[in-house]
Amino acid sequence: MEKRKFLSRFKFDSGLVIKNHIVMSPMTTMTSFYNGMITTDELNYYAARAGGPGIIITGVANVSDNGKGFEDELSVAHDAMLPGLTKLAKVIHKDGTKAILQIFHAGRKANSAILRGERPVSASAIAASYPVDSETPRALNDSEVHQIITELGEATRRAIEAGFDGVELHGANTYLLQQFYSENSNQRSDEWGGSRGKRLKFPLAVIETVNKTVKKYSKKPFIVGYRISPEEIEEPGIRLEDSLFFVDQIKHKVDYIHLSMGSYKRTSLNNKANKETLISQFSQHTKNIVPLIGIGSVETPDDVNAVMSDGADLVAIGREFIREPQWVQKIERNDLESIRTLISPSDMAELAIPSVMQVYLREPFYSVMHFTDDIETQSDYQNALAPMEGLEKKLS
């Protein structure tokens, strides 16, 4: 049997070698303790999926207490988290899989209930258009902006000390890094806002601080990735040309670019005359410079091949790893017929799906929004929901 190209090794410029081109995309389990510490259920969930993909990117971890975006969220905000994070990195490392910790600050995507009475913060005091009941955040002052940059650096230090192989800066899905770059959420008049170039200052400062932290503390290859949503649908908001410009500014400063979108076949949301796939357009800016991770409803080997043919160097898989933790191993054995494409209530224990996560899987909206790639359109929602059709009834 001829070996599939995506099962071959891949080497980053930093020297980190991964055993294949498959990445388990970051998906929250909503299973951490109330204070952000790791739970045994969460460790078991990752352990069941380790050993196959070249990289597992964890669900997002907040870097500061006021950066928490939802309940039961992983945290890397304090040194007290190190013992649990060390265990997490260790279980992911099973059979050579590399561990990447995704880190973020939620910004205005939080609310005062999640923050226990504290008002959420953002670049400007402008509420998000979605959800419709979003709270108006408080605009960060200059010293607070610098503090969050420092906290992202400290989170990186902790990831290094815990034994991870890299961090991914979550600059997608309208969280704080994206909020500073977007004209929709950043309407500041100081050095952190205004022109597109000035709105870039915050993410560039974060990348610089994180890279300095890696250089100072890491004794082995340690990569820094950046996740980006290609477009916003709000007006004003980020358009495709803004994101391509953004990638051009960071592509020599990070170890990979990771797209966030609901379908790898996606074309522009805002420019219907643009018929090229987003992956192919981003790859024109990243090819031979920085690895590009493609994503979006990838389920089969043919999907992986299509994403790589479109210009991605690595391919992230989300929902399919919930349903089929042994996806890579079964392909290696050419055992494609046994790969799960649907999820059954009777599989929950075998799949090591935490009980809290099962509760959310009962609700179609939450199963799509929390355990899938970025959802931007009604079509994305329907496509993502299909493999879980009827599950909420079966689990009732």
Side-chain angles (χ1 to χ4, degrees):
M1 180 182 68
E2 182 180 353
K3 186 174 183 179
R4 300 175 187 272
K5 179 182 177 182
F6 63 77
L7 295 178
S8 62
R9 297 200 315 165
F10 181 87
K11 185 176 182 179
F12 290 91
D13 287 346
S14 68
L16 183 72
V17 177
I18 57 176
K19 62 182 183 177
N20 56 51
H21 294 242
I22 301 300
V23 176
M24 180 171 137
S25 67
M27 298 175 288
T28 179
T29 64
M30 303 186 78
T31 309
S32 299
F33 285 114
Y34 73 95
N35 61 359
M37 287 186 172
I38 199 81
T39 62
T40 300
D41 282 350
E42 205 161 9
L43 292 173
N44 291 339
Y45 172 82
Y46 282 105
R49 287 151 182 82
I55 290 175
I56 288 180
I57 305 174
T58 69
V60 74
N62 62 69
V63 303
S64 52
D65 293 332
N66 74 348
K68 183 178 180 180
F70 48 86
E71 300 293 354
D72 304 315
E73 178 181 280
L74 188 63
S75 176
V76 65
H78 306 283
D79 285 348
M81 305 298 169
L82 279 170
L85 291 170
T86 301
K87 292 178 182 177
L88 177 57
K90 185 175 180 180
V91 300
I92 292 175
H93 282 148
K94 174 186 175 183
D95 295 334
T97 294
K98 302 300 184 183
I100 305 296
L101 183 69
Q102 189 186 65
I103 59 178
F104 90 142
H105 189 295
R108 71 179 187 178
K109 297 303 287 186
N111 59 56
S112 55
I114 293 169
L115 300 181
R116 304 299 185 261
E118 185 176 346
R119 188 178 175 186
V121 297
S122 187
S124 297
I126 301 171
S129 57
Y130 177 83
V132 293
D133 59 349
S134 293
E135 296 177 20
T136 300
R138 177 178 60 81
L140 292 159
N141 63 40
D142 183 73
S143 63
E144 290 174 321
V145 174
H146 284 285
Q147 177 62 28
I148 292 174
I149 294 170
T150 298
E151 288 167 343
L152 283 154
E154 281 293 280
T156 302
R157 173 185 61 81
R158 295 184 186 106
I160 293 169
E161 292 183 11
F164 284 89
D165 303 288
V167 292
E168 178 174 281
L169 299 171
H170 196 353
N173 300 13
T174 71
Y175 293 124
L176 188 65
L177 280 162
Q178 183 174 333
Q179 289 166 30
F180 264 88
Y181 187 53
S182 173
E183 190 179 1
N184 181 271
S185 43
N186 184 351
Q187 297 180 18
R188 301 173 72 103
S189 57
D190 64 358
E191 61 181 307
W192 301 103
S195 67
R196 185 167 67 174
K198 286 188 174 181
R199 296 197 306 273
L200 260 173
K201 183 174 180 178
F202 179 70
L204 289 177
V206 169
I207 292 170
E208 180 181 12
T209 294
V210 167
N211 282 335
K212 285 181 178 178
T213 303
V214 172
K215 185 175 182 181
K216 180 177 181 179
Y217 291 103
S218 185
K219 307 302 180 185
K220 64 177 184 178
F222 187 95
I223 59 177
V224 176
Y226 199 100
R227 197 169 199 204
I228 182 173
S229 291
E231 297 172 285
E232 293 178 339
I233 57 177
E234 293 84 0
E235 180 63 47
I238 295 171
R239 296 299 179 258
L240 179 56
E241 54 268 26
D242 296 316
S243 291
L244 294 174
F245 174 81
F246 183 90
V247 165
D248 284 340
Q249 310 314 304
I250 71 169
K251 63 186 179 183
H252 294 287
K253 305 176 188 297
V254 297
D255 293 288
Y256 69 79
I257 304 289
H258 184 184
L259 300 179
S260 181
M261 54 192 190
S263 171
Y264 69 85
K265 300 175 183 178
R266 164 66 51 74
T267 56
S268 175
L269 290 173
N270 298 293
N271 181 4
K272 299 304 181 183
N274 184 344
K275 302 298 184 183
E276 295 182 54
T277 64
L278 294 180
I279 290 176
S280 67
Q281 293 183 71
F282 276 92
S283 69
Q284 292 170 28
H285 289 252
T286 60
K287 187 176 182 180
N288 299 322
I289 298 173
V290 63
L292 177 67
I293 302 181
I295 192 170
S297 300
V298 176
E299 298 179 352
T300 68
D302 287 343
D303 290 333
V304 174
N305 291 333
V307 174
M308 294 184 68
S309 295
D310 219 12
D313 302 280
L314 304 170
V315 182
I317 299 175
R319 294 182 304 280
E320 184 58 22
F321 272 121
I322 298 178
R323 301 188 292 262
E324 184 50 83
Q326 297 290 305
W327 190 89
V328 173
Q329 293 92 327
K330 288 184 176 182
I331 290 173
E332 288 175 331
R333 298 193 297 266
N334 201 32
D335 188 15
L336 275 63
E337 291 184 357
S338 70
I339 292 177
R340 293 180 178 90
T341 56
L342 297 172
I343 193 169
S344 166
S346 62
D347 293 335
M348 293 297 176
E350 180 184 348
L351 298 178
I353 295 178
S355 56
V356 174
M357 191 172 172
Q358 291 182 37
V359 171
Y360 279 90
L361 285 171
R362 291 189 181 101
E363 299 294 334
F365 174 78
Y366 288 107
S367 70
V368 170
M369 297 305 290
H370 288 288
F371 308 122
T372 68
D373 312 324
D374 196 15
I375 302 298
E376 297 169 317
T377 68
Q378 181 65 23
S379 176
D380 287 344
Y381 179 82
Q382 294 300 330
N383 289 339
L385 181 61
M388 299 178 179
E389 195 75 49
L391 180 64
E392 73 280 3
K393 296 179 181 178
K394 296 176 183 176
L395 288 172
S396 298

